[in-house]
Amino acid sequence: MTALTDRDWRLIRDEPRDGATQMALEEVAARTVLEDDVRTVRTYSWEPSTLSLGYRQDADTVDWEFCEREGIDVTRRQTGGGGIYHDRYADISYTIVAPADEVPGNLMDCYELFCEPILEAFDRLGVDAAFASAEQEAIYQPSCYLRDINPAHDIVGPSDADGEAEKISGNAQYRQRDVVIQHGSISYALEPRAHVGVFDAAIDESTFVDRVTSIRDEAGIDRADAVETIAGALREWCDADESSWKGDELEAARELADRKFGADAWVRDREVLETGEQ
């Protein structure tokens, strides 16, 4: 396998965007890998705060009235798993996009490789975190942070707490046109009211607090410093150049957000509208 640093990578420190556009940009980045031979790592946030549903998640698990009342957007990811409430402040997200033939074909090996910079960032922040060493049973399956903890891709802290460890990051992968896309949610702070409120279920806020931890709780780091540390670890991991989205990429993402990730047909039923269909 070719070393990551022997390829062309870019780091995008993305501005806050709505959830549909953030998901669309990942598919656009996959297109850029194939057409321009440029790989992408990025950090990003969500504005407004957004609930992203897992690919196969039932839309009936959402408390739509709560989301509307609180001004929370809803989109659907290409990856599986449970829904994640991405608070505009409390969530830090990242993406890695690379050709499938340049990374391990084994899913677990690829997770291990792609999570290297995330674990390095936690180390630099003084957060004792690692892949979960033990499985934990689900508390509420439709919620990513409350479903079963999987040692393959869930990062928890402290690292030696075994079955008592608290989740701090969830990571997921999918493949799009021979490109591997990994994205992840990193808990900077806890917003338990919204994390449980977006779901149509009676979940006590304390349940969330007992299962999840955050960078701020573990290390007391300022959010801007945390984002900078994560971006720096991603950049050094693949020797990426500082960059930004091109105009045609943003235009393509807006079109894709309109007909897919922001459309009710996709969010509620996983149906993709044809071009020109609204």
Side-chain angles (χ1 to χ4, degrees):
M1 187 179 69
T2 304
L4 295 175
T5 54
D6 291 341
R7 302 297 189 181
D8 290 330
W9 288 82
R10 61 180 177 175
L11 167 68
I12 297 177
R13 304 169 188 264
D14 215 350
E15 62 188 69
R17 303 179 193 275
D18 64 273
T21 302
Q22 295 292 29
M23 294 297 91
L25 282 166
E26 296 187 339
E27 292 198 14
V28 171
R31 188 183 312 165
T32 297
V33 169
L34 297 176
E35 295 178 357
D36 299 340
D37 197 32
V38 177
R39 298 133 197 82
T40 299
V41 290
R42 70 163 175 152
T43 55
Y44 64 101
S45 58
W46 310 69
E47 179 62 51
S49 299
T50 302
L51 169 64
S52 71
L53 302 179
Y55 179 71
R56 299 190 181 281
Q57 186 171 346
D58 191 336
D60 288 342
T61 61
V62 178
D63 188 332
W64 295 96
E65 291 184 1
F66 179 90
C67 292
E68 182 175 359
R69 185 170 66 249
E70 300 293 325
I72 298 169
D73 272 2
V74 183
T75 188
R76 184 181 293 274
R77 306 187 307 273
Q78 287 278 23
T79 50
I84 306 175
Y85 168 69
H86 304 277
D87 188 81
R88 59 171 60 85
Y89 174 78
D91 178 280
I92 300 172
S93 292
Y94 76 91
T95 306
I96 299 173
V97 184
D101 61 3
E102 294 179 4
V103 300
N106 178 274
L107 180 63
M108 298 303 101
D109 291 343
C110 197
Y111 270 127
E112 185 174 353
L113 175 65
F114 279 12
C115 284
E116 282 181 3
I118 306 308
L119 292 169
E120 173 64 22
F122 281 132
D123 187 58
R124 295 178 185 181
L125 290 167
V127 176
D128 181 16
F131 282 118
S133 60
E135 293 186 11
Q136 295 186 43
E137 292 184 359
I139 296 172
Y140 178 67
Q141 197 71 12
S143 167
C144 172
Y145 277 92
L146 296 179
R147 67 190 292 130
D148 51 305
I149 290 180
N150 190 319
H153 48 73
D154 288 331
I155 297 175
V156 300
S159 60
D160 59 354
D162 296 328
E164 300 301 317
E166 297 172 324
K167 188 168 180 177
I168 196 169
S169 176
N171 310 274
Q173 286 183 18
Y174 67 104
R175 295 184 179 233
Q176 182 89 13
R177 298 173 63 200
D178 300 320
V179 176
V180 175
I181 301 170
Q182 177 166 309
H183 53 200
S185 167
I186 300 169
S187 174
Y188 169 70
L190 300 184
E191 291 290 342
R193 176 179 171 274
H195 268 285
V196 301
V198 294
F199 298 106
D200 187 19
I203 309 169
D204 195 275
E205 293 179 24
S206 63
T207 301
F208 181 84
V209 174
D210 290 343
R211 185 63 171 259
V212 183
T213 189
S214 69
I215 292 172
R216 189 171 68 180
D217 286 349
E218 295 294 322
I221 302 293
D222 179 80
R223 187 183 191 281
D225 291 340
V227 173
E228 173 59 31
T229 300
I230 294 165
L234 285 164
R235 183 186 65 243
E236 293 174 24
W237 174 70
C238 57
D239 192 25
D241 295 324
E242 299 278 350
S243 189
S244 58
W245 299 111
K246 297 179 295 182
D248 61 336
E249 289 180 305
L250 291 171
E251 183 178 350
R254 284 190 289 267
E255 187 274 333
L256 185 58
D258 285 345
R259 70 179 179 86
K260 182 176 180 180
F261 292 104
D264 270 357
W266 170 259
V267 176
R268 293 179 183 264
D269 301 309
R270 299 199 311 272
E271 296 176 0
V272 182
L273 301 176
E274 298 297 327
T275 301
E277 187 180 5
Q278 297 295 331

